[in-house]
């Protein structure tokens, strides 16, 4: 039976790994555990040396001073690949065994008023102003929680990258005194790469004893049997016969995915969940120590209002560097050996350490990148633009410039260029993203034939509504399009659509997008609308300026309010579109923004690559193109471009109504979980 602990703890620590251990040690050092009720949930006995923690730091640095008692080895020399031994006495490389950290933390804890429960946490609930922590046979209440439980490895955002730094090592003893116990070997690439980036990492404990690890950067975790063969071959050829004392195995995430803050204000994610592991290296111990210092300062100042948001900020340019390297390691793994070899060969080791600690200047970073293979990074840059969907902004700029250049030369050619550009965009992604609707409801029991009939009937009856009640049809179109566009933008920004408030916000955002496009092309828009609705001849100039400014301002403030940069691209496209004809402006938003975003959402939700998406949409894209072709042929009989635009507009409206319903259900059931 579950027992309730009547005590209310000030702090509860879930897990006692490196992250939480360092926080506890810092709190104890600064006297912040005095007169505090603290509990720890840790099921493991922590009696085995299951990993090691290494870092470079000057002897006077706080991390060395704080942990001096458990640093078992420090190295003043380093060897990288086939280079000579390099002096690093100004910033030695320090080695800590995990068992020493655990035991040291336990000794400090035993001197404090801290309770340890040897059990796992099952769940946490928030009742009143306290959190209840539930385990198999105990419930405790607390004000604040340090949660070090490992993050879920699944990544739902197609823009993020995920690799692993997996390793398998042998603690060996050689028959002869052959190891240089003053120097550790960071990366030795003279081993089989096996289609990944692989290297030997060697820590000498004495002249005849060392830890020799095979490390892999890649999307597949290293196999221990394979690693054993490679290690045996390497150790035997380099150092002769040996005996195995122990082994070390592990896997560190290398990902651009940023774990969000805990949704509860009194729960702080720690360790890997606090984004303390550098994506491109897997190093995180120094960040964990800095994080523990930051936590202590917040507690000492009693500044716990945003407890769940305590974190170490990384400069955006270093996130960008990490992303480029991960793209290379994922897509061109053979280049890893060449990049790292040149990095250490052409640059000062202390400069590299500073770069990996993200403490270099832009000038120093330019110098470092100038020594690396430039073309592979350019390829990664192009791929990054595509992965992050930024290539559309480059494409929009090119189309914008070409249209204006052609327009300066011949206006009729420019108009034809706009028709051509929008047609290509509709063919490539505008229509295909809507031609996948049948895939989104394929789990329903009705047949595909019935689905198509219903789909076409909705479009057909909406067309009849346009014929007899154009004003009602127009208002209906504005309403559902506004919600559809806004919902797509919010999903792209990672916001959940699960409340009435979120639906209203989505509608308002989509509505302002439409208003901005209309108001920035007011004359053209009214010409189009006047083909099916009688509009009185009034002065709309003041309305145009006011509506355009208000809409642009509303969209602009969404980014800071939501703390999302995604809307900057939208503002950029809308700004360019405001200087283009209505038809091309519509294409800029509908194709380059809305359709590209929706295509990415479909790719995630349907778990298909681009090729499979195109295959699934091909037949229905073809059908839509036939209808569009008939409209274009009919347009030859129409005298004005506004009349053509009216027919095109009604076509888009009719096929988008059933699409709106289906996409909303898709977002609600698939991406809003």
């Amino acid at each position: 039976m579950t027992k309730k602990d009547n005590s209310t703890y000030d702090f509860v620590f879930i897990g006692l790994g490196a992250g939480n251990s360092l926080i506890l040690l810092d709190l104890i050092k600064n006297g912040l555990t005095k007169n505090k009720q603290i509990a720890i949930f840790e099921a493991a006995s922590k009696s085995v040396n299951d990993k090691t923690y290494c870092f470079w730091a000057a002897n006077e640095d706080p991390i060395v001073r704080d942990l001096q008692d458990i640093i078992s080895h420090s190295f003043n020399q380093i060897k990288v690949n086939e280079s000579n031994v390099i002096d690093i006495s100004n910033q030695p490389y320090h080695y800590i065994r995990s068992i020493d950290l655990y035991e040291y933390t336990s000794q400090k804890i035993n001197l404090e008023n801290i309770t340890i429960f040897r059990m796992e946490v099952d769940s946490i609930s928030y009742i009143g102003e306290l959190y209840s922590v539930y385990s198999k046979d105990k419930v405790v209440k607390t004000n604040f929680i340090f949660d070090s439980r490992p993050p879920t490895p699944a990544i739902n955002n197609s823009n993020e990258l995920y690799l692993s730094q997996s390793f398998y090592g042998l603690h060996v003893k050689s028959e002869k005194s052959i190891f240089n116990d003053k120097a550790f070997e960071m990366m030795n690439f003279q081993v089989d790469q096996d289609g990944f980036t692989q290297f030997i990492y060697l820590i000498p404990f004495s002249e005849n004893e060392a830890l020799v690890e095979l490390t892999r950067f890649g999307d597949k975790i290293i196999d221990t049997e394979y690693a054993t063969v490679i290690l045996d071959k390497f150790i035997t050829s380099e150092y002769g016969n040996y005996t195995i004392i122990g082994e070390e195995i592990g896997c560190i995430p290398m990902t651009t995915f940023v774990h969000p803050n805990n949704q509860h204000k009194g729960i702080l994610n720690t360790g890997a969940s606090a984004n303390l592991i550098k994506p491109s290296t897997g190093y995180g111990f120094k960040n964990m120590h800095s994080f523990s210092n930051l936590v202590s300062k917040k507690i000492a100042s009693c500044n716990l209002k945003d407890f769940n948001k305590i974190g170490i900020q990384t400069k955006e340019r270093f996130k960008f560097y990490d992303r480029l390297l991960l793209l290379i390691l994922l897509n061109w793994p053979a280049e890893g050996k060449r990049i790292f070899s040149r990095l250490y060969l052409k640059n000062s080791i202390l400069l590299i350490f500073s770069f990996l600690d993200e403490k270099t200047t832009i000038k120093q970073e330019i110098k470092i990148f100038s020594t690396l293979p430039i073309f592979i990074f350019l390829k990664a840059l192009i791929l990054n633009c595509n992965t992050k969907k930024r290539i559309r902004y480059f494409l929009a700029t090119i189309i914008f410039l070409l249209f204006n250049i052609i327009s300066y030369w011949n206006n009729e050619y420019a108009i034809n260029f706009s028709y051509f550009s929008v047609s290509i965009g509709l063919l490539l992604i505008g229509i295909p993203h809507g031609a996948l609707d049948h895939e989104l409801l394929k789990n329903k029991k009705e047949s595909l034939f019935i689905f198509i009939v219903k789909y076409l009937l909705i479009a057909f009856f909406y067309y009849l509504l346009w014929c007899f009640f154009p004003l009602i049809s127009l208002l209906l179109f504005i309403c559902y399009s506004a919600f559809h566009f806004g919902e797509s933008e919010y999903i792209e920004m990672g916001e959940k659509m699960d409340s009435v408030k979120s639906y209203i916000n989505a509608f308002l955002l989509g509505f302002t997008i439409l208003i901005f496009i209309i108001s920035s092309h007011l004359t053209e828009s009214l010409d189009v609308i006047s083909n099916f609705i009688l509009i009185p001849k009034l002065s709309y100039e003041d309305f145009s300026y006011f509506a355009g400014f208000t809409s642009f301002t509303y969209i602009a403030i969404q980014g800071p309010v939501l703390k999302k940069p995604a809307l900057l691209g939208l503002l950029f496209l809308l700004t360019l579109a405001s200087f283009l004809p209505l038809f091309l402006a519509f294409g800029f938003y509908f194709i380059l923004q809305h359709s590209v975003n929706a295509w990415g959402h479909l790719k995630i939700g349907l778990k298909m690559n681009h090729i499979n998406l195109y295959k699934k949409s091909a037949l229905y894209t073809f059908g839509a193109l036939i209808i569009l072709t008939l409209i274009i042929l009919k347009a030859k009989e129409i005298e004005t471009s506004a009349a053509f635009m009216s027919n095109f507009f009604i076509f888009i409206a009719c096929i988008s109504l059933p699409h709106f319903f289906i996409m909303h259900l898709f977002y609600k059931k698939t991406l809003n979980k």
Side-chain angles (χ1 to χ4, degrees), residues 432-433 435-436 438-439 442 599 602-604 606-621:
H433 99 267
L436 287 161
H438 64 289
E439 286 292 315
K442 66 181 181 180
W599 187 262
L602 291 165
K603 185 170 178 280
I604 297 170
L606 295 175
K607 298 178 181 179
M608 296 183 187
N609 57 30
H610 295 297
I611 295 176
N612 286 334
L613 287 177
Y614 275 117
K615 286 181 179 178
K616 295 291 184 180
S617 67
L619 179 61
Y620 303 93
T621 299

PDB file of all heavy atoms in Angstrom, residues 432-433 435-436 438-439 442 599 602-604 606-621:
ATOM      1  N   PRO A 432      -0.339  19.577 -55.026  1.00  0.00           N
ATOM      2  CA  PRO A 432      -0.017  18.284 -54.394  1.00  0.00           C
ATOM      3  C   PRO A 432      -0.277  18.239 -52.895  1.00  0.00           C
ATOM      4  O   PRO A 432      -0.696  17.210 -52.374  1.00  0.00           O
ATOM      5  CB  PRO A 432       1.471  18.109 -54.710  1.00  0.00           C
ATOM      6  CG  PRO A 432       1.669  18.823 -55.991  1.00  0.00           C
ATOM      7  CD  PRO A 432       0.770  20.030 -55.894  1.00  0.00           C
ATOM      8  N   HIS A 433      -0.055  19.338 -52.171  1.00  0.00           N
ATOM      9  CA  HIS A 433      -0.268  19.265 -50.715  1.00  0.00           C
ATOM     10  C   HIS A 433      -1.743  19.072 -50.389  1.00  0.00           C
ATOM     11  O   HIS A 433      -2.084  18.485 -49.356  1.00  0.00           O
ATOM     12  CB  HIS A 433       0.314  20.515 -50.027  1.00  0.00           C
ATOM     13  CG  HIS A 433      -0.678  21.580 -49.694  1.00  0.00           C
ATOM     14  ND1 HIS A 433      -0.951  22.632 -50.550  1.00  0.00           N
ATOM     15  CD2 HIS A 433      -1.476  21.771 -48.601  1.00  0.00           C
ATOM     16  CE1 HIS A 433      -1.850  23.416 -49.999  1.00  0.00           C
ATOM     17  NE2 HIS A 433      -2.192  22.939 -48.819  1.00  0.00           N
ATOM     18  N   ALA A 435      -3.699  17.422 -52.575  1.00  0.00           N
ATOM     19  CA  ALA A 435      -4.053  16.156 -53.232  1.00  0.00           C
ATOM     20  C   ALA A 435      -3.723  14.947 -52.372  1.00  0.00           C
ATOM     21  O   ALA A 435      -3.821  13.809 -52.826  1.00  0.00           O
ATOM     22  CB  ALA A 435      -3.323  16.055 -54.580  1.00  0.00           C
ATOM     23  N   LEU A 436      -3.326  15.188 -51.129  1.00  0.00           N
ATOM     24  CA  LEU A 436      -3.044  14.094 -50.200  1.00  0.00           C
ATOM     25  C   LEU A 436      -4.166  13.908 -49.186  1.00  0.00           C
ATOM     26  O   LEU A 436      -4.035  13.130 -48.241  1.00  0.00           O
ATOM     27  CB  LEU A 436      -1.727  14.366 -49.457  1.00  0.00           C
ATOM     28  CG  LEU A 436      -0.462  14.195 -50.290  1.00  0.00           C
ATOM     29  CD1 LEU A 436       0.718  14.907 -49.636  1.00  0.00           C
ATOM     30  CD2 LEU A 436      -0.142  12.714 -50.481  1.00  0.00           C
ATOM     31  N   HIS A 438      -6.878  12.350 -49.320  1.00  0.00           N
ATOM     32  CA  HIS A 438      -7.383  10.977 -49.226  1.00  0.00           C
ATOM     33  C   HIS A 438      -6.539  10.128 -48.281  1.00  0.00           C
ATOM     34  O   HIS A 438      -7.030   9.169 -47.679  1.00  0.00           O
ATOM     35  CB  HIS A 438      -7.410  10.328 -50.615  1.00  0.00           C
ATOM     36  CG  HIS A 438      -6.068  10.157 -51.238  1.00  0.00           C
ATOM     37  ND1 HIS A 438      -5.326  11.231 -51.696  1.00  0.00           N
ATOM     38  CD2 HIS A 438      -5.309   9.044 -51.463  1.00  0.00           C
ATOM     39  CE1 HIS A 438      -4.177  10.781 -52.192  1.00  0.00           C
ATOM     40  NE2 HIS A 438      -4.151   9.475 -52.050  1.00  0.00           N
ATOM     41  N   GLU A 439      -5.249  10.472 -48.140  1.00  0.00           N
ATOM     42  CA  GLU A 439      -4.371   9.722 -47.238  1.00  0.00           C
ATOM     43  C   GLU A 439      -4.663  10.047 -45.780  1.00  0.00           C
ATOM     44  O   GLU A 439      -4.414   9.222 -44.895  1.00  0.00           O
ATOM     45  CB  GLU A 439      -2.903  10.043 -47.538  1.00  0.00           C
ATOM     46  CG  GLU A 439      -2.366   9.415 -48.799  1.00  0.00           C
ATOM     47  CD  GLU A 439      -2.260   7.897 -48.673  1.00  0.00           C
ATOM     48  OE1 GLU A 439      -1.778   7.426 -47.630  1.00  0.00           O
ATOM     49  OE2 GLU A 439      -2.663   7.197 -49.612  1.00  0.00           O
ATOM     50  N   LYS A 442      -7.672   7.787 -44.587  1.00  0.00           N
ATOM     51  CA  LYS A 442      -7.703   6.427 -45.134  1.00  0.00           C
ATOM     52  C   LYS A 442      -8.076   5.374 -44.086  1.00  0.00           C
ATOM     53  O   LYS A 442      -8.430   4.253 -44.429  1.00  0.00           O
ATOM     54  CB  LYS A 442      -6.357   6.078 -45.760  1.00  0.00           C
ATOM     55  CG  LYS A 442      -5.204   5.988 -44.767  1.00  0.00           C
ATOM     56  CD  LYS A 442      -3.915   5.649 -45.493  1.00  0.00           C
ATOM     57  CE  LYS A 442      -2.743   5.531 -44.533  1.00  0.00           C
ATOM     58  NZ  LYS A 442      -1.492   5.195 -45.252  1.00  0.00           N
ATOM     59  N   TRP A 599       3.174  20.965 -46.400  1.00  0.00           N
ATOM     60  CA  TRP A 599       3.882  19.796 -46.946  1.00  0.00           C
ATOM     61  C   TRP A 599       4.784  19.178 -45.875  1.00  0.00           C
ATOM     62  O   TRP A 599       4.853  17.945 -45.732  1.00  0.00           O
ATOM     63  CB  TRP A 599       4.700  20.210 -48.162  1.00  0.00           C
ATOM     64  CG  TRP A 599       5.331  19.086 -48.918  1.00  0.00           C
ATOM     65  CD1 TRP A 599       6.618  18.645 -48.801  1.00  0.00           C
ATOM     66  CD2 TRP A 599       4.719  18.250 -49.908  1.00  0.00           C
ATOM     67  NE1 TRP A 599       6.841  17.603 -49.661  1.00  0.00           N
ATOM     68  CE2 TRP A 599       5.700  17.332 -50.358  1.00  0.00           C
ATOM     69  CE3 TRP A 599       3.445  18.193 -50.469  1.00  0.00           C
ATOM     70  CZ2 TRP A 599       5.438  16.373 -51.322  1.00  0.00           C
ATOM     71  CZ3 TRP A 599       3.190  17.232 -51.445  1.00  0.00           C
ATOM     72  CH2 TRP A 599       4.176  16.347 -51.856  1.00  0.00           C
ATOM     73  N   LEU A 602       2.604  17.334 -43.391  1.00  0.00           N
ATOM     74  CA  LEU A 602       2.153  16.054 -43.953  1.00  0.00           C
ATOM     75  C   LEU A 602       3.276  15.024 -43.939  1.00  0.00           C
ATOM     76  O   LEU A 602       3.047  13.838 -43.672  1.00  0.00           O
ATOM     77  CB  LEU A 602       1.644  16.264 -45.380  1.00  0.00           C
ATOM     78  CG  LEU A 602       0.341  17.064 -45.510  1.00  0.00           C
ATOM     79  CD1 LEU A 602       0.122  17.518 -46.949  1.00  0.00           C
ATOM     80  CD2 LEU A 602      -0.846  16.237 -45.032  1.00  0.00           C
ATOM     81  N   LYS A 603       4.476  15.475 -44.202  1.00  0.00           N
ATOM     82  CA  LYS A 603       5.649  14.584 -44.200  1.00  0.00           C
ATOM     83  C   LYS A 603       5.838  13.949 -42.821  1.00  0.00           C
ATOM     84  O   LYS A 603       6.130  12.760 -42.703  1.00  0.00           O
ATOM     85  CB  LYS A 603       6.893  15.370 -44.608  1.00  0.00           C
ATOM     86  CG  LYS A 603       8.165  14.551 -44.761  1.00  0.00           C
ATOM     87  CD  LYS A 603       9.250  15.420 -45.396  1.00  0.00           C
ATOM     88  CE  LYS A 603      10.553  14.653 -45.531  1.00  0.00           C
ATOM     89  NZ  LYS A 603      11.301  14.605 -44.277  1.00  0.00           N
ATOM     90  N   ILE A 604       5.618  14.754 -41.773  1.00  0.00           N
ATOM     91  CA  ILE A 604       5.758  14.247 -40.410  1.00  0.00           C
ATOM     92  C   ILE A 604       4.574  13.355 -40.039  1.00  0.00           C
ATOM     93  O   ILE A 604       4.750  12.227 -39.561  1.00  0.00           O
ATOM     94  CB  ILE A 604       5.848  15.416 -39.409  1.00  0.00           C
ATOM     95  CG1 ILE A 604       7.098  16.259 -39.675  1.00  0.00           C
ATOM     96  CG2 ILE A 604       5.880  14.900 -37.972  1.00  0.00           C
ATOM     97  CD1 ILE A 604       7.121  17.550 -38.895  1.00  0.00           C
ATOM     98  N   LEU A 606       2.271  11.794 -41.867  1.00  0.00           N
ATOM     99  CA  LEU A 606       2.101  10.565 -42.654  1.00  0.00           C
ATOM    100  C   LEU A 606       3.344   9.675 -42.626  1.00  0.00           C
ATOM    101  O   LEU A 606       3.316   8.563 -43.152  1.00  0.00           O
ATOM    102  CB  LEU A 606       1.754  10.915 -44.106  1.00  0.00           C
ATOM    103  CG  LEU A 606       0.402  11.613 -44.319  1.00  0.00           C
ATOM    104  CD1 LEU A 606       0.228  12.008 -45.779  1.00  0.00           C
ATOM    105  CD2 LEU A 606      -0.744  10.719 -43.864  1.00  0.00           C
ATOM    106  N   LYS A 607       4.431  10.210 -42.056  1.00  0.00           N
ATOM    107  CA  LYS A 607       5.700   9.465 -41.961  1.00  0.00           C
ATOM    108  C   LYS A 607       6.144   8.972 -43.327  1.00  0.00           C
ATOM    109  O   LYS A 607       6.465   7.796 -43.520  1.00  0.00           O
ATOM    110  CB  LYS A 607       5.550   8.301 -40.982  1.00  0.00           C
ATOM    111  CG  LYS A 607       5.234   8.744 -39.558  1.00  0.00           C
ATOM    112  CD  LYS A 607       5.043   7.567 -38.620  1.00  0.00           C
ATOM    113  CE  LYS A 607       4.694   8.056 -37.219  1.00  0.00           C
ATOM    114  NZ  LYS A 607       4.472   6.937 -36.278  1.00  0.00           N
ATOM    115  N   MET A 608       6.154   9.888 -44.289  1.00  0.00           N
ATOM    116  CA  MET A 608       6.575   9.581 -45.654  1.00  0.00           C
ATOM    117  C   MET A 608       7.658  10.554 -46.085  1.00  0.00           C
ATOM    118  O   MET A 608       7.707  11.692 -45.593  1.00  0.00           O
ATOM    119  CB  MET A 608       5.404   9.696 -46.643  1.00  0.00           C
ATOM    120  CG  MET A 608       4.279   8.717 -46.443  1.00  0.00           C
ATOM    121  SD  MET A 608       3.005   8.929 -47.744  1.00  0.00           S
ATOM    122  CE  MET A 608       1.733   7.833 -47.148  1.00  0.00           C
ATOM    123  N   ASN A 609       8.515  10.118 -47.003  1.00  0.00           N
ATOM    124  CA  ASN A 609       9.485  11.044 -47.581  1.00  0.00           C
ATOM    125  C   ASN A 609       8.839  11.788 -48.750  1.00  0.00           C
ATOM    126  O   ASN A 609       7.687  11.533 -49.112  1.00  0.00           O
ATOM    127  CB  ASN A 609      10.756  10.311 -48.018  1.00  0.00           C
ATOM    128  CG  ASN A 609      10.481   9.193 -49.020  1.00  0.00           C
ATOM    129  OD1 ASN A 609       9.527   9.270 -49.805  1.00  0.00           O
ATOM    130  ND2 ASN A 609      11.292   8.155 -49.002  1.00  0.00           N
ATOM    131  N   HIS A 610       9.587  12.714 -49.342  1.00  0.00           N
ATOM    132  CA  HIS A 610       9.027  13.544 -50.416  1.00  0.00           C
ATOM    133  C   HIS A 610       8.562  12.704 -51.607  1.00  0.00           C
ATOM    134  O   HIS A 610       7.494  12.964 -52.182  1.00  0.00           O
ATOM    135  CB  HIS A 610      10.071  14.559 -50.879  1.00  0.00           C
ATOM    136  CG  HIS A 610      10.444  15.558 -49.832  1.00  0.00           C
ATOM    137  ND1 HIS A 610       9.541  16.454 -49.300  1.00  0.00           N
ATOM    138  CD2 HIS A 610      11.623  15.803 -49.202  1.00  0.00           C
ATOM    139  CE1 HIS A 610      10.133  17.204 -48.405  1.00  0.00           C
ATOM    140  NE2 HIS A 610      11.398  16.828 -48.319  1.00  0.00           N
ATOM    141  N   ILE A 611       9.348  11.710 -51.971  1.00  0.00           N
ATOM    142  CA  ILE A 611       9.009  10.885 -53.147  1.00  0.00           C
ATOM    143  C   ILE A 611       7.684  10.166 -52.939  1.00  0.00           C
ATOM    144  O   ILE A 611       6.806  10.151 -53.820  1.00  0.00           O
ATOM    145  CB  ILE A 611      10.147   9.880 -53.437  1.00  0.00           C
ATOM    146  CG1 ILE A 611      11.421  10.626 -53.849  1.00  0.00           C
ATOM    147  CG2 ILE A 611       9.722   8.896 -54.531  1.00  0.00           C
ATOM    148  CD1 ILE A 611      12.616   9.732 -54.054  1.00  0.00           C
ATOM    149  N   ASN A 612       7.511   9.564 -51.758  1.00  0.00           N
ATOM    150  CA  ASN A 612       6.261   8.848 -51.486  1.00  0.00           C
ATOM    151  C   ASN A 612       5.064   9.794 -51.433  1.00  0.00           C
ATOM    152  O   ASN A 612       3.963   9.441 -51.859  1.00  0.00           O
ATOM    153  CB  ASN A 612       6.381   8.080 -50.171  1.00  0.00           C
ATOM    154  CG  ASN A 612       7.265   6.854 -50.297  1.00  0.00           C
ATOM    155  OD1 ASN A 612       7.403   6.301 -51.383  1.00  0.00           O
ATOM    156  ND2 ASN A 612       7.889   6.445 -49.208  1.00  0.00           N
ATOM    157  N   LEU A 613       5.290  10.994 -50.910  1.00  0.00           N
ATOM    158  CA  LEU A 613       4.203  11.979 -50.888  1.00  0.00           C
ATOM    159  C   LEU A 613       3.766  12.336 -52.301  1.00  0.00           C
ATOM    160  O   LEU A 613       2.557  12.432 -52.591  1.00  0.00           O
ATOM    161  CB  LEU A 613       4.642  13.236 -50.137  1.00  0.00           C
ATOM    162  CG  LEU A 613       4.758  13.144 -48.610  1.00  0.00           C
ATOM    163  CD1 LEU A 613       5.276  14.460 -48.041  1.00  0.00           C
ATOM    164  CD2 LEU A 613       3.428  12.783 -47.968  1.00  0.00           C
ATOM    165  N   TYR A 614       4.739  12.534 -53.190  1.00  0.00           N
ATOM    166  CA  TYR A 614       4.404  12.863 -54.582  1.00  0.00           C
ATOM    167  C   TYR A 614       3.689  11.695 -55.270  1.00  0.00           C
ATOM    168  O   TYR A 614       2.754  11.894 -56.046  1.00  0.00           O
ATOM    169  CB  TYR A 614       5.657  13.248 -55.358  1.00  0.00           C
ATOM    170  CG  TYR A 614       6.035  14.704 -55.203  1.00  0.00           C
ATOM    171  CD1 TYR A 614       7.237  15.071 -54.614  1.00  0.00           C
ATOM    172  CD2 TYR A 614       5.176  15.713 -55.625  1.00  0.00           C
ATOM    173  CE1 TYR A 614       7.583  16.409 -54.451  1.00  0.00           C
ATOM    174  CE2 TYR A 614       5.501  17.050 -55.472  1.00  0.00           C
ATOM    175  CZ  TYR A 614       6.706  17.389 -54.885  1.00  0.00           C
ATOM    176  OH  TYR A 614       7.027  18.714 -54.724  1.00  0.00           O
ATOM    177  N   LYS A 615       4.121  10.475 -54.973  1.00  0.00           N
ATOM    178  CA  LYS A 615       3.474   9.304 -55.566  1.00  0.00           C
ATOM    179  C   LYS A 615       2.010   9.218 -55.132  1.00  0.00           C
ATOM    180  O   LYS A 615       1.119   8.945 -55.939  1.00  0.00           O
ATOM    181  CB  LYS A 615       4.223   8.029 -55.165  1.00  0.00           C
ATOM    182  CG  LYS A 615       5.550   7.824 -55.868  1.00  0.00           C
ATOM    183  CD  LYS A 615       6.205   6.527 -55.414  1.00  0.00           C
ATOM    184  CE  LYS A 615       7.526   6.291 -56.140  1.00  0.00           C
ATOM    185  NZ  LYS A 615       8.186   5.041 -55.671  1.00  0.00           N
ATOM    186  N   LYS A 616       1.782   9.436 -53.835  1.00  0.00           N
ATOM    187  CA  LYS A 616       0.416   9.342 -53.302  1.00  0.00           C
ATOM    188  C   LYS A 616      -0.482  10.460 -53.822  1.00  0.00           C
ATOM    189  O   LYS A 616      -1.701  10.287 -53.913  1.00  0.00           O
ATOM    190  CB  LYS A 616       0.457   9.385 -51.772  1.00  0.00           C
ATOM    191  CG  LYS A 616       1.158   8.198 -51.120  1.00  0.00           C
ATOM    192  CD  LYS A 616       0.370   6.922 -51.285  1.00  0.00           C
ATOM    193  CE  LYS A 616       1.022   5.774 -50.543  1.00  0.00           C
ATOM    194  NZ  LYS A 616       0.248   4.501 -50.706  1.00  0.00           N
ATOM    195  N   SER A 617       0.114  11.592 -54.155  1.00  0.00           N
ATOM    196  CA  SER A 617      -0.701  12.743 -54.586  1.00  0.00           C
ATOM    197  C   SER A 617      -0.841  12.844 -56.098  1.00  0.00           C
ATOM    198  O   SER A 617      -1.631  13.654 -56.588  1.00  0.00           O
ATOM    199  CB  SER A 617      -0.073  14.042 -54.067  1.00  0.00           C
ATOM    200  OG  SER A 617       1.180  14.286 -54.690  1.00  0.00           O
ATOM    201  N   ALA A 618      -0.099  12.028 -56.838  1.00  0.00           N
ATOM    202  CA  ALA A 618       0.006  12.195 -58.294  1.00  0.00           C
ATOM    203  C   ALA A 618      -1.345  12.163 -59.009  1.00  0.00           C
ATOM    204  O   ALA A 618      -1.663  13.055 -59.810  1.00  0.00           O
ATOM    205  CB  ALA A 618       0.925  11.126 -58.866  1.00  0.00           C
ATOM    206  N   LEU A 619      -2.161  11.144 -58.717  1.00  0.00           N
ATOM    207  CA  LEU A 619      -3.428  10.972 -59.436  1.00  0.00           C
ATOM    208  C   LEU A 619      -4.363  12.153 -59.201  1.00  0.00           C
ATOM    209  O   LEU A 619      -4.982  12.681 -60.132  1.00  0.00           O
ATOM    210  CB  LEU A 619      -4.098   9.671 -59.000  1.00  0.00           C
ATOM    211  CG  LEU A 619      -5.451   9.353 -59.660  1.00  0.00           C
ATOM    212  CD1 LEU A 619      -5.278   9.210 -61.169  1.00  0.00           C
ATOM    213  CD2 LEU A 619      -6.053   8.085 -59.060  1.00  0.00           C
ATOM    214  N   TYR A 620      -4.445  12.599 -57.954  1.00  0.00           N
ATOM    215  CA  TYR A 620      -5.378  13.665 -57.609  1.00  0.00           C
ATOM    216  C   TYR A 620      -4.842  15.027 -58.047  1.00  0.00           C
ATOM    217  O   TYR A 620      -5.618  15.934 -58.351  1.00  0.00           O
ATOM    218  CB  TYR A 620      -5.650  13.623 -56.109  1.00  0.00           C
ATOM    219  CG  TYR A 620      -6.186  12.271 -55.698  1.00  0.00           C
ATOM    220  CD1 TYR A 620      -5.321  11.267 -55.258  1.00  0.00           C
ATOM    221  CD2 TYR A 620      -7.536  11.973 -55.812  1.00  0.00           C
ATOM    222  CE1 TYR A 620      -5.793  10.013 -54.926  1.00  0.00           C
ATOM    223  CE2 TYR A 620      -8.023  10.722 -55.482  1.00  0.00           C
ATOM    224  CZ  TYR A 620      -7.149   9.739 -55.040  1.00  0.00           C
ATOM    225  OH  TYR A 620      -7.619   8.494 -54.733  1.00  0.00           O
ATOM    226  N   THR A 621      -3.533  15.158 -58.083  1.00  0.00           N
ATOM    227  CA  THR A 621      -2.931  16.369 -58.644  1.00  0.00           C
ATOM    228  C   THR A 621      -3.290  16.482 -60.120  1.00  0.00           C
ATOM    229  O   THR A 621      -3.639  17.562 -60.615  1.00  0.00           O
ATOM    230  CB  THR A 621      -1.398  16.347 -58.480  1.00  0.00           C
ATOM    231  OG1 THR A 621      -1.076  16.293 -57.090  1.00  0.00           O
ATOM    232  CG2 THR A 621      -0.767  17.584 -59.095  1.00  0.00           C
TER     233      THR A 621
END
